[in-house]
Amino acid sequence: ASNMWFGQPLPSCRVDLGQAGEGEREVPLMPADVRVPRASGLEVISIRPARVRLTLEKVISREVAIRVIRGEPPLDLEVYGVKVEPQVVTVTGPRSHVQGIRDIPTENIPLSGQRESLRTYARLEIADSALHASPPGPVQVSIQLGVRRQVRVIRGVPVVPDDSSVTVVPPRIRLRVLVPISLQQALTAA
């Protein structure tokens, strides 16, 4: 699309919305509202349609969390933790758009071939073009990977107090622990 019309800047129609409040408005368009290049020799005599309907909303800002989108690691690994910096961004836009936002996702970070923890930068994926984030990104993402684990239960673990004059009830407890999936031997209280 060119900004020129017969070698002159494109005509434009200006509408003064300085006193308009929020809501739906029907605004009349007058020939005096149209700006045409002076050198063109053109004079506007009518406008069709003579009215336009506008919906006006306040522009608001609010902080929302950043949600990291990531793939799955190789089968023998799992994600131990994910950190993003900054953790929140300020989203600005029309009230009806901003109020519906719970978080802003990052672009997908693939992990399929990843064998160790990583730190990378990811763009923010804001699908609504009426919204703007500050800072706009990219954000720093740290993903901690480790060996895949499973939950195991150890029964009968004795509770030994520091002071031998103290009686502990119950004298034995059950522990739920995370162990590497490669650990096949049974876990018992020693």
Side-chain angles (χ1 to χ4, degrees):
S2 172
N3 290 336
M4 300 300 282
W5 184 64
F6 297 113
Q8 300 289 325
L10 286 172
S12 61
C13 186
R14 302 264 177 192
V15 180
D16 181 10
L17 300 173
Q19 301 302 318
E22 282 189 274
E24 203 167 285
R25 301 277 181 267
E26 196 168 276
V27 179
L29 302 177
M30 309 298 286
D33 297 328
V34 178
R35 306 238 191 308
V36 293
R38 289 188 181 157
S40 69
L42 301 175
E43 179 184 348
V44 177
I45 53 175
S46 71
I47 301 172
R48 293 289 179 247
R51 295 180 172 282
V52 292
R53 184 171 299 279
L54 303 174
T55 302
L56 304 176
E57 288 185 69
K58 280 195 181 282
V59 172
I60 65 168
S61 297
R62 76 172 207 178
E63 283 190 342
V64 296
I66 296 173
R67 179 172 41 96
V68 174
I69 304 297
R70 61 168 178 79
E72 290 299 318
L75 291 175
D76 61 333
L77 299 178
E78 69 179 78
V79 175
Y80 287 3
V82 176
K83 292 182 183 174
V84 62
E85 191 61 42
Q87 296 177 355
V88 297
V89 291
T90 300
V91 176
T92 302
R95 179 193 316 270
S96 65
H97 295 244
V98 171
Q99 287 176 332
I101 298 296
R102 287 185 169 66
D103 57 38
I104 298 292
T106 65
E107 65 183 313
N108 184 51
I109 301 170
L111 297 177
S112 59
Q114 194 67 35
R115 300 301 307 167
E116 56 191 37
S117 298
L118 76 136
R119 181 175 293 167
T120 188
Y121 287 91
R123 291 186 322 271
L124 298 175
E125 296 285 321
I126 302 175
D128 186 339
S129 63
L131 298 177
H132 304 282
S134 178
V139 294
Q140 184 174 333
V141 177
S142 299
I143 300 176
Q144 184 182 5
L145 296 177
V147 296
R148 186 168 298 280
R149 301 169 294 182
Q150 61 184 343
V151 175
R152 290 280 203 57
V153 176
I154 306 172
R155 290 178 172 73
V157 176
V159 179
V160 182
D162 291 341
D163 183 345
S164 61
S165 67
V166 174
T167 303
V168 177
V169 177
R172 295 188 178 273
I173 59 172
R174 183 177 69 169
L175 297 179
R176 289 171 42 101
V177 295
L178 283 171
V179 299
I181 58 172
S182 59
L183 181 67
Q184 297 299 316
Q185 68 197 50
L187 297 176
T188 59

